[in-house]
Each structure stands twice: as structure tokens, then as C-alpha cells.
Amino acid sequence: MLFRSGKRWAKAELLKQDNQLDLALLKANISATPLSFTPWAEVPTGLEVILIGFPQPRLQGLSKKITQGLINGNRSDRNESFDLGFFQFSAETQVGNSGGPVLAPDGLVVGMVQKKLNALDVAERTKDLPVNVSYGLKSSEILNFLKDTPVTPSIKSLSLNTYLRPYQIFNLKQASIFGVAGRKSASPPDSPADK
């Protein structure tokens, strides 16, 4: 695995993974301020959220992009059942956003982008095109994953009275968000994998 820091790539070591959650803990020699988490129990439905990530890097380049939306609820996309570990949000996502943080208006991490609904597949079956239906992994699942690892995450209470504007969150947090690419060869890729 490789981390992209500025215009340079750094090699990363896999410390832990969970295939069911599509989650991995990587270690790289990069200096950055860690993002802080908030407990999921404090996150209300309807909370505004910000995503910072690398959507469609092969088409849109490797600069970070920002988008915003709302936490829609806990319903999953699997047979309309409830999945307590995931939440639905309305911020626009594309291939390449997965693995990026979902941030509250105070800048704390409430979750991680996992996937989006396949709108074309749904439209084919229902004759209705869903827009901006995406799913994230709750902060509680990420914090549970980090137990018994060398990482001590920073956990803070969500402040519903602190409302940073999207550009402020981007300016404060973007230096702590990195692109990650898998590789098969010994040399860095010309362009990273889309995910």
C-alpha cells in the first residue's frame, strides 16, 4: 500500500484488516495531526456532514475534493433491513471517496465513507433514479476496530453549538487526509487505484 502525502508517495504497512467492514489499519512514515472521533451515540439523524476525499482520481486528479450533505438515518441498502454498524447520508460520493472521513460541523469524525447505492441498477429495476444515497461506517465501529491496536484514538464530545463552514473544515482538516493506493510492483504507480 502507498500513502500520498503532497506530491510524494510513502510506503504503508498493513497492521490490521476487517474484510467484512472493508476496513484496514495502515502504518506509514507521515507526519500529520490525527483527526478526532466523536461517539456515534451523540450523532443525531439530520446532522450536516462534510466529506473530504479523492473522487474519481483517474478522471478528476489527485487533489482533495469536498462535498456536503446530511445523515439520513440508519437504514442499510441490504434488503431494507437495519444494520446498526452503518448509516445513510446524502453527500455526493464517487469511486475514490471510500475510506474517507465523514465529518460533523465541528470537524469531528462521525464515520467513514463506505459505498454508494448503485443508482443505475436501482433505476433499471424501479424506473426511478435515486440521487446521493451513500453509506458510511459509524464511528463506533471504527473505534471498536482500533481496540487492541497500537493506536489510541482521540475521542471528543460532539458540539452541536460549533458550526464551522465547509471551507473552514477543509482548511483545518485536509492536511490529515491522505490518498491510499494498492500496488503490485516495486515502483509507485503513475495513477492510484480508484479506491
Side-chain angles (χ1 to χ4, degrees):
M1 293 291 211
L2 298 172
F3 269 82
R4 185 168 192 263
S5 177
K7 294 185 178 184
R8 295 179 26 218
W9 289 93
K11 188 174 180 180
E13 174 187 355
L14 178 64
L15 297 182
K16 182 179 179 181
Q17 69 182 27
D18 184 321
N19 292 331
Q20 185 175 355
L21 295 177
D22 192 20
L23 192 58
L25 176 62
L26 304 174
K27 179 181 178 182
N29 189 15
I30 294 175
S31 178
T33 303
L35 298 175
S36 296
F37 292 85
T38 194
W40 180 259
E42 298 180 10
V43 179
T45 297
L47 182 73
E48 299 91 343
V49 290
I50 299 289
L51 311 181
I52 300 172
F54 301 87
Q56 296 284 358
R58 291 184 182 177
L59 298 175
Q60 299 183 45
L62 293 172
S63 63
K64 294 170 190 149
K65 313 292 189 300
I66 183 172
T67 187
Q68 68 183 81
L70 299 173
I71 292 178
N72 303 117
N74 293 315
R75 188 174 294 272
S76 79
D77 66 340
R78 294 182 287 211
N79 302 317
E80 296 192 24
S81 64
F82 283 89
D83 188 331
L84 298 178
F86 296 88
F87 63 97
Q88 181 181 324
F89 62 91
S90 64
E92 179 183 343
T93 61
Q94 299 175 38
V95 172
N97 279 113
S98 60
V102 180
L103 302 163
D106 64 356
L108 296 177
V109 175
V110 299
M112 183 184 82
V113 178
Q114 281 284 1
K115 60 182 175 177
K116 68 177 186 175
L117 189 67
N118 185 330
L120 295 178
D121 183 53
V122 171
E124 201 173 278
R125 289 186 286 124
T126 66
K127 307 301 183 223
D128 185 22
L129 183 66
V131 178
N132 294 341
V133 179
S134 299
Y135 302 97
L137 184 64
K138 294 178 180 180
S139 59
S140 56
E141 295 293 322
I142 300 167
L143 293 170
N144 189 51
F145 171 81
L146 292 174
K147 289 179 181 175
D148 303 321
T149 71
V151 175
T152 304
S154 170
I155 303 170
K156 298 180 180 178
S157 284
L158 182 66
S159 172
L160 296 176
N161 295 320
T162 302
Y163 193 91
L164 300 173
R165 297 185 65 193
Y167 76 89
Q168 293 172 308
I169 292 174
F170 185 85
N171 288 336
L172 290 170
K173 304 300 178 182
Q174 62 90 19
S176 298
I177 300 167
F178 300 92
V180 178
R183 67 177 182 152
K184 294 181 181 178
S185 65
S187 59
D190 293 330
S191 62
D194 284 343
K195 189 171 178 183

